[in-house]
Amino acid sequence: MRRLVGLLVALAFAAGAAVLTWPSAFGVERTFPLAQVISFRAPLAAAFVGATLLMLLFALIRPVRALALVLAIVFALAGGVNVSMLAQRGLGSEDMPAKTASSLRIMTWNTAGSATSAESIAQFAVGMQADVVTLPETTIETGAQVAELMRDMGQPMWAHHAEYGEYGITGWDATSTTVLIKPELGEYSVIQSSLDGSSNTSTVPSAVAMPVSGDGPIIVAAHAVAPREEYMTQWRSDLQWLADQCATDNVILAGDFNATLDHMTGMGVEGGTLGRCHDAASESGNGGVGTWPTDAPALLGAPIDHVMATPDWTVSASVVMRSLDGSGSDHRPIVVQLERTGG
């Protein structure tokens, strides 16, 4: 009977470790509460390592030695796989090559509304030579101020936005998403369905900026709702809507997806991460670096902010900026450098 109980316990823990490590194999990567747990793969890996050490200590007790050793093996394997996944996605690279005439730099930063000053946004954007800046939770008033400050620093931008409700009445910063685009990319306009919400993310707005002139890419300033228990259905539909934006060519998505690569498993087509779009950070050494929250070390956070692009673009570098953790926002900005595929 003791052996049977031990076997059942071992199988239960092995199944739990498998679900947490490979949630997509069980179809639960976008299911509450697993979706929340797997957002933090580095702490999960650390927990498995800690459990391994604990089981090795229990193995010193003769009556439970066999079970403890089996569980130590299970937890060690799970911890190793999680660490391997993080390493494969990238644990941090800040090698940004010099920008060329053909390079396109995309910056995204969920500013948490008034928590981040327009001056901080403008200075960072100019310093990184950003051509496109997407700013979830940023009003058009702040966006216009950022554009003016950038103009005064020698890098003018056009400001566009989409919003739900009227900011100041709802009082929720997330009801607005702003995107700044360099004039050299051509004239842009946010499509009507973004403005009226007839085709958009469910609860907080995204902005689809289409080129009116020039050959610039379609820019989607993305903001999916957070996967709180009461918003799980909307969150899943938001991710699908974002994936659908990548059905055409020459698309760049950038913003707060409130989702890690694990949550997007199975949502890519033709080799993409989300729809036909591929994730820039994971292709350039930063896919395992947490962008939220800033009060946790970057390697222990959740990588939920992304820049993605269709195969028309090739990633040459990215950086998750950790030096701005005291700027006010609870998100870290990402900057990605892209090049036209094939030159």
Side-chain angles (χ1 to χ4, degrees):
M1 179 60 70
R2 179 182 295 177
R3 289 183 179 180
L4 177 59
V5 171
L7 177 61
L8 292 176
V9 170
L11 289 174
F13 276 101
V19 169
L20 290 172
T21 303
W22 296 286
S24 59
F26 303 88
V28 295
E29 68 275 13
R30 292 184 288 276
T31 302
F32 181 87
L34 267 298
Q36 287 70 21
V37 176
I38 64 173
S39 297
F40 299 92
R41 191 169 281 277
L44 186 61
F48 279 127
V49 172
T52 301
L53 297 175
L54 183 62
M55 288 303 103
L56 290 176
L57 287 176
F58 274 112
L60 299 175
I61 305 173
R62 184 177 296 275
V64 295
R65 178 173 298 167
L67 175 59
L69 288 175
V70 170
L71 292 179
I73 293 171
V74 169
F75 294 144
L77 287 173
V81 170
N82 278 276
V83 169
S84 177
M85 287 182 176
L86 285 168
Q88 184 178 19
R89 293 171 184 176
L91 297 176
S93 173
E94 297 186 2
D95 295 330
M96 186 70 74
K99 188 179 180 184
T100 67
S102 61
S103 301
L104 189 66
R105 283 198 180 172
I106 312 296
M107 166 185 158
T108 186
W109 194 1
N110 181 327
T111 62
S114 58
T116 308
S117 69
E119 290 79 7
S120 294
I121 301 168
Q123 289 170 3
F124 180 61
V126 169
M128 296 304 295
Q129 299 176 278
D131 301 297
V132 175
V133 180
T134 69
L135 301 168
E137 300 194 14
T138 304
T139 64
I140 187 59
E141 290 78 14
T142 299
Q145 186 180 357
V146 172
E148 291 172 1
L149 290 168
M150 292 181 69
R151 178 200 61 200
D152 294 342
M153 288 184 265
Q155 189 171 321
M157 305 287 273
W158 291 116
H160 307 271
H161 84 297
E163 65 181 10
Y164 287 165
E166 185 177 346
Y167 183 79
I169 294 177
T170 62
W172 193 24
D173 296 328
T175 57
S176 185
T177 295
T178 292
V179 54
L180 309 177
I181 302 173
K182 197 172 182 179
E184 285 81 352
L185 290 176
E187 184 180 354
Y188 274 78
S189 177
V190 174
I191 64 174
Q192 184 60 35
S193 58
S194 288
L195 298 175
D196 61 25
S198 58
S199 176
N200 206 323
T201 40
S202 65
T203 310
V204 290
S206 298
V208 180
M210 298 284 292
V212 176
S213 64
D215 61 349
I218 298 169
I219 305 294
V220 181
H223 196 187
V225 70
R228 299 184 180 91
E229 184 176 7
E230 65 271 26
Y231 287 114
M232 291 300 293
T233 299
Q234 295 92 324
W235 173 68
R236 287 188 287 264
S237 70
D238 284 357
L239 292 181
Q240 186 57 60
W241 184 87
L242 291 171
D244 292 343
Q245 305 315 300
C246 289
T248 60
D249 293 331
N250 203 16
V251 176
I252 294 174
L253 302 181
D256 178 5
F257 291 61
N258 269 307
T260 70
L261 297 181
D262 292 302
H263 299 127
M264 301 176 196
T265 305
M267 301 190 73
V269 297
E270 300 178 19
T273 305
L274 195 64
R276 294 176 63 246
C277 288
H278 49 104
D279 181 65
S282 61
E283 293 186 2
S284 51
N286 284 294
V289 180
T291 60
W292 177 88
T294 54
D295 57 5
L299 293 181
L300 295 180
I304 60 173
D305 301 89
H306 303 271
V307 175
M308 299 190 179
T310 48
D312 314 79
W313 297 92
T314 299
V315 182
S316 59
S318 69
V319 60
V320 177
M321 188 56 60
R322 311 182 201 195
S323 62
L324 296 173
D325 285 1
S327 63
S329 175
D330 56 346
H331 288 251
R332 296 182 178 94
I334 300 178
V335 179
V336 168
Q337 182 161 309
L338 302 172
E339 305 286 348
R340 290 272 190 180
T341 301

